[in-house]
Amino acid sequence: MIKIKIRKVFLSLLTAGAVLASCSTKKSSPEQNWVDFVDPYIGSDYHGHVFVGASVPFGAVQLGPSNVVKGWDWCSGYHYSDSILVGFAHTHLSGTGIGDLGDVLFMPVSDAYQPSADSTLLGWQSKYSHARESVKPGFYSVHIERYNVDAELTTSERVGFHKYQFNAEGNSFVLVDLGYGIGWDKLTEGIIEQSGESSITGHRFSKGWADDQRLFFATEFSKKIKGIEFIPTRDVKGEVIPGQTTALIQFEGNGELLAKTAISPVSVDGAKNNLQKEIAHWNFDETYQAARNQWNNELGRIRISTNNETDKKTFYTALYHTMIAPSLFNDANGDYRGADKEVHTNPGHNTYTTFSLWDTYRAAHPLFTLVQPERVNDFVNTMLNICEQQGKLPVWHLMGNETNCMVGYHAVPVIVDAYFKGFNGFDAERAFQTLKTTAMLDERGIKFIKELGYIPADSTNESVAMALEYAIDDWCIAAMASKMGKTEDAEYFGKRAKYYQNYFDTQTKFMRGKLADGSWRTPFDPGSSQHRNDDYCEGNSWQYTWLVPQDVEGLISLQGGDEAFTSKLDSLFVVEFIRNEGSSNDISGLIGQYAHGNEPSHHITYMYAYAGQQWKTAKLVSQINHEMYHEKPDGLCGNEDCGQMSAWYVLSSMGFYPANPANGAYIFGSPSFDKAEIELSADKSFAIVAENLSKENIYIQSAELNGQAYSKSYITHKQILEGGTLELVMGPEPNKSFGAASEDRPKSIIY
């Protein structure tokens, strides 16, 4: 049997305002070095696309190595299979399926590099090997073979700190490149200027995934500059980029050279101020220790107990990966550049960017409400400001730019989830108006939603995926409207939340594309996928038929009841996926047609609980936890996507997951650890204890919460915040009665 106990050694539930207290009230156990269980290489091979380098949690700077871009798997600028170093850029993406950034590239070189003799594209590149490379939270080092230089990197929030040891004879050189960077975007304007005897400043404006990125920087060196040679920079076509955008900076002699570079989205003066505010000294080790302490504090908010050290490494690396993005997008004084391209003075909260919302609304943002509560209000306020500056909530926001990438308007569930969980550091009325404004535009298929109740497949690409995602968001808007007493809005958006039904074909029992005349698009193959030229987005009908986390009961009814629903769901994990020409690379991590490597599948295993078969959820979640995540460089089965892939594992390995991203309920799966304890405040925590857990004992037999028998197959956010212990007794065979009763199943309501 499985029991869940909650120890009553905690204070009474804090008020919502107290829960949102600053991070200073949350401190990890000082006796534990959680950072030692993190391996940032995990996910750097295969299709993980993770950032490898030095950063601090949610920092503006991601300082790390960049390779020559060789294709899609280099979206972060680095891939484990590579051995060619271009330099160290101060910004990188983590886990995305599109590349960008790679701003302000530094490369320490020696006399072995001669610009006049080696004028090829990225002619300064060098080999390196993993044998002489090291990465851990807040730190990166590598030996640069061509120049016999040992490089070490660390950071603060807005400053990258470089430490170079030049071992070759002669003078030292640092090449600073603004032109090609890592090759994903195009430089539109850039300049490097010497601003003092040992300092440079400049800016880099570029056009890429972020259509108009503006970045300013200020660098101080520990030695006086002996001379600067500006050398031609070539673009990807080999053509010379005009202007002073690549500088070869010379220093007297060899030995140690330190460099500190601050970045700013506002101005050079902002960058200079960031530098002085964050790293005014020259102590590299002190800066690294501060970064390490920051990571240790954040990682210690969840404490895992297990004898399996590799699983512990997988877990803490996953938790680490959830905190690369969103990233800070303001100066130390609070100023930032808005989506309107104007500079805005300190709004009274931190401003963030890199919102991969199509991915992260599902699990990463719900996870933040548990372990990053002091940041949630800032995330929401940032989104509200973006809406006022660009006319809608962010879709996929990057460095002050709307990329309009992916489908849906998924800032909505993030905001609504925060509202219902008691986060009150933002204006609820203002927030609701941004939701409504965004949902009532005429762009991206919304006009058809308003007029027809569906998006015609012959009018808009990815129409089915687009409309199903909108229905999730509209359900959230309706829920918030109802809570606020906005009856008319609640009824209207509640109706739109049901529009997913317009795509359900009662004959085939699949979600299908519908033409403007109301007929189904033919021919129809539920297993077919054409990347970016289809009714679905990075998937097929087998995967998208289940994208109704806001109304699972309604989907069960469409399928014909519990038995028909679970039978169809069983088939998903059995029917073979056959990759056709043009299929998306994101369809990976397969169990039958289920694709764990891409986000639309992430809630599906948990849907069995709605039909009273939680034990099937347990079986599949256990399989995914142990097969799709591991401690090697190829330990992710798909793109990390700014923390979502890892957030799924963090939550699921503890034993639960928010299938509905905004209703405040977490559905039980199968825990991977003997104990997981979430730190809620300085004196309150919530523990999940799995008794008799083993490789075979994956099924919940019984549960206790706070020492009382607990029969439900889910737990609410409110219950978790009360603190205590949930004890699950695990066994090798399913207890099919656990969570089977109607009253014990999760519901599509706000808890």
Side-chain angles (χ1 to χ4, degrees), residues 316-337:
Y316 281 106
T317 303
L319 186 57
Y320 165 83
H321 279 143
T322 67
M323 295 183 280
I324 306 297
S327 54
L328 277 171
F329 195 62
N330 61 350
D331 286 344
N333 66 359
D335 294 353
Y336 71 100
R337 187 175 298 277

Side-chain angles (χ1 to χ4, degrees), residues 76-349:
S76 73
Y78 176 98
H79 195 262
Y80 191 79
S81 65
D82 213 325
S83 60
I84 302 297
L85 177 71
V86 176
F88 309 114
H90 288 76
T91 62
H92 290 85
L93 293 169
S94 185
T96 58
I98 301 177
D100 205 330
L101 306 187
D103 299 292
V104 191
L105 189 83
F106 277 40
M107 181 66 163
V109 301
S110 68
D111 285 327
Y113 172 62
Q114 296 294 328
S116 58
D118 194 354
S119 59
T120 59
L121 179 64
L122 305 174
W124 57 81
Q125 61 189 260
S126 169
K127 288 186 177 181
Y128 68 97
S129 72
H130 296 309
R132 302 187 70 177
E133 182 186 39
S134 175
V135 60
K136 44 195 171 184
F139 178 84
Y140 174 85
S141 68
V142 70
H143 178 73
I144 305 172
E145 295 179 8
R146 179 178 175 184
Y147 306 115
N148 194 13
V149 174
D150 294 300
E152 297 177 65
L153 310 174
T154 190
T155 76
S156 62
E157 290 180 324
R158 301 170 181 85
V159 183
F161 202 157
H162 308 238
K163 180 180 179 181
Y164 304 140
Q165 181 67 34
F166 292 86
N167 301 306
E169 296 296 327
N171 289 333
S172 310
F173 301 84
V174 175
L175 184 142
V176 179
D177 175 55
L178 306 182
Y180 180 78
I182 58 174
W184 286 108
D185 62 3
K186 178 181 180 181
L187 181 73
T188 57
E189 181 180 317
I191 191 168
I192 302 169
E193 297 179 316
Q194 184 171 352
S195 54
E197 63 181 12
S198 58
S199 61
I200 60 172
T201 57
H203 66 264
R204 183 179 193 269
F205 298 171
S206 59
K207 181 181 180 64
W209 190 15
D211 189 62
D212 181 12
Q213 185 196 353
R214 306 180 192 184
L215 183 140
F216 303 84
F217 70 94
T219 300
E220 291 182 359
F221 297 100
S222 60
K223 291 183 178 181
K224 293 181 180 180
I225 296 172
K226 182 179 176 64
I228 297 182
E229 177 185 357
F230 290 97
I231 60 178
T233 305
R234 299 181 183 276
D235 61 20
V236 290
K237 297 180 180 179
E239 298 176 356
V240 174
I241 298 173
Q244 297 180 337
T245 59
T246 303
L248 186 62
I249 306 172
Q250 184 176 179
F251 302 89
E252 187 71 39
N254 57 10
E256 183 179 276
L257 175 69
L258 304 176
K260 301 181 296 186
T261 295
I263 64 172
S264 165
V266 174
S267 65
V268 165
D269 286 341
K272 288 180 178 179
N273 185 58
N274 293 341
L275 185 56
Q276 291 305 310
K277 291 287 186 181
E278 294 189 4
I279 311 181
H281 56 78
W282 286 101
N283 191 324
F284 180 91
D285 292 339
E286 178 182 322
T287 301
Y288 166 52
Q289 189 59 51
R292 177 182 169 88
N293 290 344
Q294 282 183 263
W295 278 115
N296 205 49
N297 185 65
E298 301 303 323
L299 293 166
R301 296 187 181 200
I302 303 179
R303 298 183 281 274
I304 295 301
S305 298
T306 178
N307 292 325
N308 190 319
E309 294 299 296
T310 57
D311 283 354
K312 188 176 287 189
K313 180 187 291 187
T314 302
F315 178 86
Y316 281 106
T317 303
L319 186 57
Y320 165 83
H321 279 143
T322 67
M323 295 183 280
I324 306 297
S327 54
L328 277 171
F329 195 62
N330 61 350
D331 286 344
N333 66 359
D335 294 353
Y336 71 100
R337 187 175 298 277
D340 55 5
K341 306 306 174 189
E342 299 296 323
V343 174
H344 297 262
T345 57
N346 187 348
H349 60 79

Side-chain angles (χ1 to χ4, degrees), residues 71 99-100 219 405 558 610 634 680 738:
D100 205 330
T219 300
C405 189
L558 287 178
Y610 288 84
D634 62 349
L680 302 172
F738 180 77

Side-chain angles (χ1 to χ4, degrees), residues 500-733:
Y500 71 88
Q501 298 172 349
N502 295 334
Y503 292 89
F504 188 79
D505 177 5
T506 58
Q507 298 300 311
T508 65
K509 303 294 186 179
F510 283 102
M511 298 289 182
R512 295 182 57 178
K514 182 175 288 188
L515 302 177
D517 63 6
S519 64
W520 298 115
R521 185 204 285 271
T522 57
F524 173 65
D525 177 1
S528 177
S529 170
Q530 293 294 321
H531 187 45
R532 305 296 186 196
N533 186 28
D534 203 349
D535 296 337
Y536 311 94
C537 178
E538 299 181 356
N540 61 31
S541 187
W542 265 112
Q543 293 138 24
Y544 272 92
T545 290
W546 311 99
L547 192 61
V548 192
Q550 80 280 12
D551 185 21
V552 184
E553 298 93 332
L555 184 60
I556 290 173
S557 178
L558 287 178
Q559 289 286 357
D562 289 348
E563 185 176 349
F565 174 81
T566 54
S567 177
K568 180 83 168 186
L569 194 51
D570 290 343
S571 299
L572 172 72
F573 298 95
V574 176
V575 175
E576 181 183 5
F577 175 80
I578 300 175
R579 189 174 295 280
N580 54 284
E581 185 177 355
S583 290
S584 170
N585 289 330
D586 291 284
I587 303 176
S588 60
L590 294 165
I591 305 175
Q593 285 279 354
Y594 173 85
H596 191 72
N598 211 23
E599 281 67 22
S601 289
H602 276 190
H603 68 291
I604 297 177
T605 55
Y606 288 90
M607 298 181 88
Y608 282 108
Y610 288 84
Q613 295 188 356
Q614 188 280 333
W615 62 275
K616 288 185 177 179
T617 292
K619 181 180 180 180
L620 287 161
V621 167
S622 179
Q623 179 182 351
I624 294 167
N625 277 340
H626 294 99
E627 293 182 4
M628 304 293 183
Y629 297 86
H630 60 78
E631 80 286 1
K632 302 298 183 182
D634 62 349
L636 290 175
C637 65
N639 297 168
E640 167 61 19
D641 286 313
C642 295
Q644 170 59 26
M645 188 69 69
S646 288
W648 189 97
Y649 178 80
V650 168
L651 289 162
S652 294
S653 66
M654 289 195 294
F656 50 67
Y657 183 85
N660 182 320
N663 79 331
Y666 304 88
I667 299 173
F668 294 156
S670 180
S672 296
F673 306 109
D674 299 319
K675 181 179 180 181
E677 188 172 11
I678 304 169
E679 185 178 87
L680 302 172
S681 68
D683 50 13
K684 180 183 290 189
S685 64
F686 180 79
I688 306 97
V689 176
E691 289 190 2
N692 305 326
L693 181 67
S694 68
K695 184 178 180 181
E696 296 77 23
N697 293 355
I698 64 173
Y699 298 104
I700 299 175
Q701 307 298 301
S702 64
E704 287 186 5
L705 181 63
N706 289 333
Q708 301 297 315
Y710 192 79
S711 59
K712 299 185 186 302
S713 60
Y714 65 92
I715 192 169
T716 69
H717 188 79
K718 291 178 182 178
Q719 289 173 309
I720 290 174
L721 289 189
E722 290 173 356
T725 302
L726 171 69
E727 190 171 324
L728 304 171
V729 178
M730 311 301 293
E733 298 295 332

